[in-house]
């Protein structure tokens, strides 16, 4: 449709019809006949059956046949036959599930996330979907927050690269949403959802404007610059005002300053929740505030549908403000080509062809291999380490994750655990007789109960069964030469509404670990987690630790690829792993303070803890490989840079070991003196370098003003002359550094 046709359409719509274009309901409203629904969910929400027929969009339901049927049925009922939008959380895969987003961050390679998004878009679009609520661009610094697993980590620069890559992956490089196999992407949760106080989900966010702009807003901006079609509001308050009714945040910052012109959707029920926040009197008041703030779609409440028409009739709202929001929704439908083809790519035949096809599974497996982080791989006196596993050695695979298919992580609602390849499946195929298996214990004991999307999860193993499991595991561990111990959090221990105050592995598994350690100390821990954990004991006792996060559908195969050395680990930590929980929130790009405490000095009147180091156990950017790389000193091609000039910083990297490997060269910059305090260092460049044994390569980074600018105290980007330090290394603690002056 041309814009003039959209305008004519809008003009012809009734007030209620317009309000309903802004209503988003979930699929349960469209499961049966209207009469049945009218007595159930509609009544509970205070909606009329007419609103159901006119709703602009549906969330959380998929399948080509089903969505085609809904589209056909409800377009007939809609007075102007306007097609619906179908939206869903397709976060890290549709049916072929890739590693969880934090793991993708560990690849330190946005192209991996691009491919995952492209494949997810293909599977989603043939399943009838038009919009995905992804990527989550929230910066995270507190491992207690369960949703760190949905982020790509603690660094604003990396998150920006990943956000842009995912938006492009979903929407295509051209951004033409009519293209086949593309879906519209939605950057969320605007803004600063990851800054929840004390890591408790949905909690208050208090940030200085400088911190908000300099750290938290950057990745959303990257999504907008990449052409994202939608943005989602966050549940939290931002400096006292809930984001979903925060006019300054949405109209001034998001629309005017950041240049977002697409559809702004509330998070689930977030408009109505402003009543609970204590800033809206009732639903009508919430609707008025949210629309005034510029929120276009009301997800899953009747605030807009039930009240906007009345507010306009009563003179509390201008009709123009409603028209503005409805036009944006119509424009999105038009960009997707739905007025001409309401079913877009929905096609049952294509679903069969693409969903979980070999090509997609292979991409998921390759991606997973790149996300694993080798935290420790101790060598013995003759220089050999446990990984990669050596042929001909008997290996006992022990632990609750050996046969567990729950490898998808919490936000993978379209995936099925039944499609997952377990460690045992893969190990049997690769190692045959050399491998034996035992569960050892359940993931958690009878002392715990974990709420999940599908009800509460409990452990139903009796004491006698547990004893039997342990005995079997101990027997197999003592007869084997080495043990691969597959441990970790339950997948429902991270994700939405899954904040924790302890970053531990369930005690029942730690007991198993200690028991196994008594009989066999050649332990490789394969660690599953949705967040950084406190690994003090594990990392002290186990000879090898491999973090595999929640690796997705092809998890088992990927783990075996890396354990056996078919692929070498190359992941890097996208979040600091704390020494202990009390260090949280924790991030490498902190300020120095006036009394820093370098090298853990024991001295009074320093900024330090009495009982723990300031440093994390494993820092941001850290991760080992099966080989060793050396780096030369940092070389700068000049010592001074002009404001519009450029400096090239380089190092020579060499593979000093005997096997092929991939390292990540990381460039950090520190502004040594500025008008506001600058972080001790900030990541400004990454490059993956793959080298054969003995091979070396020069790795160069270009430094321009973009990497040196920062947010001054008045909220404006500035470039200030002075000294800068450039670090190039393989994690965020590198001291390999050179200095230059910006004149
Ligand atoms: C989450 C969003 C999600 C939405 C729709 C909310 O609870 O915060 O991230 O997109 O539900 O499923």
């Amino acid at each position: 449709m041309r814009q003039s046709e959209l305008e004519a359409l809008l003009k012809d719509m009734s007030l209620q019809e317009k309000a309903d274009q802004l209503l988003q309901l979930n699929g349960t409203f469209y499961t049966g006949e209207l009469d049945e629904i009218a007595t159930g969910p509609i009544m509970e929400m205070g909606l009329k059956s007419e609103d159901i027929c006119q709703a602009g969009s549906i969330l959380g339901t998929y399948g080509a046949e089903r969505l085609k049927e809904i589209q056909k049925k409800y377009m007939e009922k809609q007075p102007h036959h306007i097609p619906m939008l179908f939206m869903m959380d397709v976060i890290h895969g549709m049916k072929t599930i890739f590693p969880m987003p934090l793991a993708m961050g560990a690849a330190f390679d946005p192209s991996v996330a691009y491919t995952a998004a492209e494949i997810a878009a293909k599977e989603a679009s043939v399943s009838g979907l038009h919009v995905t609520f992804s990527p989550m661009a929230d910066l995270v610094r507190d491992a207690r927050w369960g949703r760190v697993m949905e982020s790509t980590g603690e660094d604003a620069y990396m998150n920006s690269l990943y956000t842009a890559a995912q938006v492009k992956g979903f929407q295509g490089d051209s951004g033409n949403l009519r293209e086949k196999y593309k879906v519209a992407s939605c950057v969320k949760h605007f803004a600063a959802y990851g800054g929840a106080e004390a890591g408790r989900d949905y909690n208050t966010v208090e940030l200085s404007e400088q911190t908000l702009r300099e750290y938290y807003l950057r990745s959303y901006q990257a999504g907008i610059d990449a052409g994202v079609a939608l943005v989602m509001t966050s549940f939290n308050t931002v400096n006292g005002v809930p984001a979903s009714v925060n006019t300054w945040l949405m109209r001034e910052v998001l629309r005017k300053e950041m240049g977002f012109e697409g559809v702004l959707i509330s998070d689930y029920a977030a408009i109505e929740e402003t009543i609970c926040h204590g800033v809206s009197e009732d639903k009508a008041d919430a609707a008025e505030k949210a629309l005034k703030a510029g929120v276009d779609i009301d997800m899953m409440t009747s605030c807009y549908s039930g009240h906007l028409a009345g507010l306009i009739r009563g003179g509390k709202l201008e009709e123009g403000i409603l028209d503005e929001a409805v036009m944006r929704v119509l424009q999105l439908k038009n960009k997707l080509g739905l007025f001409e083809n309401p079913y877009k790519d929905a096609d049952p035949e294509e679903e069969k062809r693409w969903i979980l096809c070999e090509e997609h599974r292979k991409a998921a497996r390759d991606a997973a291999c790149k996300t694993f982080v080798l935290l420790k791989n101790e060598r013995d006196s003759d220089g050999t380490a446990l990984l990669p596993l050596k042929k001909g050695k008997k290996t006992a695979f022990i632990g609750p994750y050996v046969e567990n298919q729950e490898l998808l992580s919490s936000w993978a609602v379209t995936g099925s655990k039944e499609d997952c390849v377990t460690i045992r499946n893969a190990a049997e195929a690769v190692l045959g007789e050399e491998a034996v298996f035992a569960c050892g214990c359940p993931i958690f004991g009878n002392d715990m109960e974990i709420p999940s999307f599908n009800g509460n999860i409990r452990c139903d193993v009796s004491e006698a069964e547990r004893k039997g499991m342990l005995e079997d595991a101990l027997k197999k561990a003592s007869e084997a030469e080495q043990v691969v111990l597959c441990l970790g959090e339950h997948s429902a221990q991270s994700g939405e509404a899954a904040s924790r105050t302890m970053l531990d592995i369930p005690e029942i598994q730690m007991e198993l670990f200690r028991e196994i350690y008594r009989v066999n100390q050649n332990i490789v821990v394969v660690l599953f987690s949705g967040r950084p954990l406190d690994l003090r004991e594990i990392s002290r006792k186990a000879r090898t630790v491999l973090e595999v996060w929640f690796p997705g559908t092809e998890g088992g195969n990927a783990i075996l690829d890396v354990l056996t050395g078919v692929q070498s680990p190359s992941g890097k930590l996208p979040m600091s792993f704390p020494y202990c929980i009390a260090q949280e929130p924790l991030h490498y790009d902190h300020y120095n303070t006036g009394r820093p405490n370098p090298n853990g000095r024991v001295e009074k009147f320093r900024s330090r803890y009495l009982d723990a180091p300031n440093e994390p156990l494993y820092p941001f950017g850290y991760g080992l490989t099966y080989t060793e790389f050396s780096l030369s000193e940092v070389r700068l091609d000049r010592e001074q840079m002009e404001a519009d000039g450029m400096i090239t910083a380089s190092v020579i990297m060499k593979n000093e070991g005997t096997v092929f490997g991939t390292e990540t060269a990381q460039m950090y910059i520190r502004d040594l003196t500025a008008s506001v305090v600058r972080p001790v260092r900030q990541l400004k460049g990454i490059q993956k370098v793959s080298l054969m044994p003995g091979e070396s390569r020069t790795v160069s980074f270009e430094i321009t003003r973009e990497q040196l600018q920062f947010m001054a105290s008045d909220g404006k980007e500035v470039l200030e002359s002075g000294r800068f330090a450039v670090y190039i290394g393989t994690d965020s603690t590198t001291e390999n550094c050179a200095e230059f002056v910006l004149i």
Side-chain angles (χ1 to χ4, degrees), residues 386-689:
L386 290 180
L387 289 187
L389 297 175
K390 314 288 169 299
K391 282 224 154 60
K393 282 198 166 185
K394 188 154 182 196
T395 307
F397 285 80
I398 293 173
Y401 272 101
V402 170
E403 291 194 43
N404 195 333
Q405 284 190 302
E406 301 215 22
L407 306 179
L408 301 182
S409 88
S410 128
W411 257 118
V413 284
T414 44
S416 313
K417 67 173 190 178
E418 291 70 26
D419 296 322
C420 287
V421 180
T422 66
I423 293 179
R424 180 167 186 160
N425 300 148
E428 272 174 349
V430 178
L431 302 174
E433 304 281 283
E434 285 171 23
V436 291
F437 306 92
C439 179
C441 68
I443 295 189
F444 57 91
N446 297 340
D447 53 333
M448 280 170 70
E449 183 171 353
I450 310 173
S452 82
F453 279 82
N454 312 311
N456 292 0
I457 308 170
R458 275 181 221 91
C459 161
D460 287 325
V461 176
S462 70
E463 205 35 50
E465 283 169 311
R466 188 192 151 188
K467 253 180 113 187
M469 285 161 107
L470 181 62
E471 274 163 20
D472 178 41
L474 287 177
K475 181 166 183 296
K476 286 175 177 154
S478 50
E479 287 165 5
E481 281 163 88
Q482 57 205 2
V483 178
V484 174
L485 201 46
C486 306
L487 308 174
E489 278 186 309
H490 190 283
S491 62
Q493 286 185 289
S494 60
E496 186 171 349
S499 297
R500 302 186 62 198
T501 62
M502 303 297 283
L503 301 180
D504 56 354
I505 293 168
E507 188 50 27
I508 198 166
Q509 292 186 58
M510 288 309 293
E511 284 164 17
L512 173 70
F513 173 73
R514 291 177 199 123
E515 289 291 317
I516 299 287
Y517 184 76
R518 267 193 319 108
V519 299
N520 191 335
Q521 297 190 355
N522 286 328
I523 297 178
V524 175
V525 168
V526 172
L527 185 69
F528 292 78
S529 75
R531 54 156 64 79
L533 294 177
D534 175 347
L535 296 180
R536 274 174 292 174
E537 183 175 351
I538 296 259
S539 75
R540 200 173 58 244
K541 293 183 179 164
R543 285 189 56 194
T544 295
V545 183
L546 182 71
E547 169 66 74
V548 298
W549 317 101
F550 284 100
T553 314
E554 283 289 315
N557 282 332
I559 290 167
L560 261 291
D561 285 344
V562 170
L563 290 180
T564 55
V566 171
Q567 300 275 350
S568 54
S570 58
K572 296 283 179 175
L573 291 181
M575 276 187 91
S576 312
F577 271 44
Y579 175 83
C580 61
I581 192 162
Q583 291 180 322
E584 298 288 336
L586 183 65
H587 54 106
Y588 81 93
D589 50 352
H590 57 84
Y591 299 142
N592 204 27
T593 80
R595 295 183 178 189
N597 192 48
N599 312 321
R601 280 204 301 242
V602 179
E603 204 180 298
K604 189 85 183 148
F605 305 118
R606 291 274 138 201
S607 178
R608 62 185 289 269
Y609 300 106
L610 291 180
D611 50 3
N614 288 357
E615 290 71 33
L617 186 62
Y618 294 114
F620 174 84
Y622 173 84
L624 306 170
T625 65
Y626 288 154
T627 181
E628 279 186 17
F629 286 79
S630 65
L631 266 77
S632 68
E633 283 179 2
V634 178
R635 232 196 102 249
L636 301 178
D637 67 342
R638 65 198 66 196
E639 285 168 4
Q640 292 195 337
M641 178 179 146
E642 286 173 10
D644 288 319
M646 190 176 87
I647 281 199
T648 305
S650 53
V651 290
I652 299 166
M653 285 180 83
K654 185 172 182 203
N655 181 347
E656 303 281 359
T658 52
V659 290
F660 172 83
T662 299
E663 243 309 349
T664 310
Q666 304 167 31
M667 178 182 71
Y668 297 84
I669 294 184
R670 175 170 187 180
D671 187 340
L672 291 160
T673 318
S675 57
V676 293
V677 175
R678 306 301 302 137
V680 292
R681 61 186 62 188
Q682 277 182 308
L683 185 67
K684 297 289 180 179
I686 44 171
Q687 278 184 53
K688 287 274 174 198
V689 184

Side-chain angles (χ1 to χ4, degrees), residues 59 89 133 147 188-189 232 235 267-268 299 411 496:
L59 88 148
D89 291 274
F133 297 132
R147 298 193 84 168
K188 65 191 187 184
H189 306 83
M232 186 186 289
F235 288 122
D267 201 349
Y268 205 102
M299 189 195 290
W411 257 118
E496 186 171 349

Side-chain angles (χ1 to χ4, degrees), residues 41-233:
I42 303 185
M43 296 241 310
E44 276 161 38
M45 267 184 85
L47 294 167
K48 295 189 280 306
S49 50
E50 157 199 345
D51 302 321
I52 309 292
C53 303
Q54 294 182 168
S57 53
I58 299 185
L59 88 148
T61 190
Y62 64 92
E65 290 283 15
R66 174 162 163 65
L67 293 188
K68 279 173 103 166
E69 198 185 308
I70 293 179
Q71 190 71 293
K72 185 166 181 301
K73 183 162 158 191
Y74 288 90
M75 271 179 78
E76 277 164 15
K77 295 185 202 279
Q78 209 287 338
H80 287 89
H81 311 300
I82 301 174
M84 282 179 158
L85 282 167
F86 297 127
M87 311 198 186
M88 180 100 212
D89 291 274
V90 179
I91 311 284
H92 48 114
M94 173 76 196
K95 283 285 173 192
T96 309
I97 302 295
F98 283 72
M100 64 182 213
L102 189 63
M104 296 297 254
F108 265 54
D109 181 355
S111 73
V112 178
Y114 175 92
T115 306
E118 199 177 28
I119 288 174
K122 195 170 198 170
E123 293 192 2
S125 69
V126 298
S127 308
L129 293 167
H130 308 137
V131 175
T132 173
F133 297 132
S134 179
M136 180 173 115
D138 303 317
L139 182 85
V140 294
R141 293 173 162 183
D142 195 327
R144 290 172 292 183
W145 193 46
R147 298 193 84 168
V148 300
M149 51 112 344
E150 272 184 84
S151 160
T152 47
E154 74 186 39
D155 181 67
Y157 166 75
M158 276 265 291
N159 288 351
S160 302
L161 297 179
Y162 269 86
T163 300
Q166 289 174 86
V167 169
K168 295 261 182 210
F170 288 126
Q171 301 194 158
D173 292 326
S174 74
N176 176 3
L177 299 179
R178 289 175 186 231
E179 252 179 43
K180 201 162 180 192
Y181 305 140
K182 301 300 169 211
V183 293
S185 156
C186 175
V187 159
K188 65 191 187 184
H189 306 83
F190 195 78
Y193 184 32
E197 263 180 24
R200 178 156 53 79
D201 205 3
Y202 317 128
N203 206 4
T204 307
V205 174
E206 290 284 333
L207 294 170
S208 74
E209 203 174 314
Q210 194 197 349
T211 302
L212 176 71
R213 289 175 189 280
E214 169 127 24
Y215 292 94
Y216 285 82
L217 297 188
R218 284 196 191 267
S219 43
Y220 309 115
Q221 181 73 64
I224 294 167
D225 295 344
V228 76
L230 298 94
V231 167
M232 186 186 289
T233 69

Side-chain angles (χ1 to χ4, degrees), residues 168-400:
K168 295 261 182 210
F170 288 126
Q171 301 194 158
D173 292 326
S174 74
N176 176 3
L177 299 179
R178 289 175 186 231
E179 252 179 43
K180 201 162 180 192
Y181 305 140
K182 301 300 169 211
V183 293
S185 156
C186 175
V187 159
K188 65 191 187 184
H189 306 83
F190 195 78
Y193 184 32
E197 263 180 24
R200 178 156 53 79
D201 205 3
Y202 317 128
N203 206 4
T204 307
V205 174
E206 290 284 333
L207 294 170
S208 74
E209 203 174 314
Q210 194 197 349
T211 302
L212 176 71
R213 289 175 189 280
E214 169 127 24
Y215 292 94
Y216 285 82
L217 297 188
R218 284 196 191 267
S219 43
Y220 309 115
Q221 181 73 64
I224 294 167
D225 295 344
V228 76
L230 298 94
V231 167
M232 186 186 289
T233 69
S234 55
F235 288 122
N236 53 281
T237 56
V238 176
N239 297 339
V241 183
S244 302
V245 293
N246 195 323
T247 308
W248 169 76
L249 189 63
M250 300 305 171
R251 291 215 183 256
E252 288 303 311
V253 179
L254 178 67
R255 297 269 188 216
K256 270 201 207 134
E257 290 178 27
M258 298 174 77
F260 178 61
E261 291 175 353
V263 170
L264 180 59
I265 183 168
S266 79
D267 201 349
Y268 205 102
I271 295 180
E272 190 171 332
E273 286 173 13
T274 61
I275 303 172
C276 257
H277 278 292
V279 301
S280 299
E281 191 70 36
D282 51 26
K283 286 192 191 182
D285 191 26
E288 183 185 336
K289 290 197 163 83
L291 195 72
K292 280 187 174 158
V295 180
D296 301 317
I297 297 181
D298 175 6
M299 189 195 290
M300 269 308 282
T301 83
S302 55
C303 292
Y304 277 11
S305 173
H307 301 279
L308 289 183
L311 286 165
I312 290 168
R313 281 194 207 97
K316 285 207 153 180
L317 275 176
E318 300 272 332
E319 190 167 349
I321 200 174
L322 172 64
D323 286 353
E324 199 191 292
V326 178
M327 179 51 80
R328 278 196 283 261
V329 172
L330 295 178
Q331 281 170 336
L332 176 57
K333 294 182 175 184
N334 196 37
K335 279 187 194 149
L336 285 153
L338 300 184
F339 288 104
E340 291 77 26
N341 176 13
Y343 308 115
K344 198 169 183 285
D345 305 332
D347 184 338
E349 286 308 311
E350 293 231 57
E351 273 180 314
K352 280 190 214 124
R353 175 167 169 213
W354 294 114
I355 285 176
L356 286 162
C357 67
E358 271 310 300
E359 185 190 330
H360 292 184
R361 277 189 174 270
K362 182 176 180 310
R365 178 170 175 169
D366 288 349
C369 291
K370 291 180 177 151
T371 66
F372 300 161
V373 185
L374 185 62
L375 296 174
K376 179 179 177 189
N377 199 21
E378 183 186 278
R379 292 179 191 280
D380 58 21
S381 49
D382 70 3
T384 50
L386 290 180
L387 289 187
L389 297 175
K390 314 288 169 299
K391 282 224 154 60
K393 282 198 166 185
K394 188 154 182 196
T395 307
F397 285 80
I398 293 173

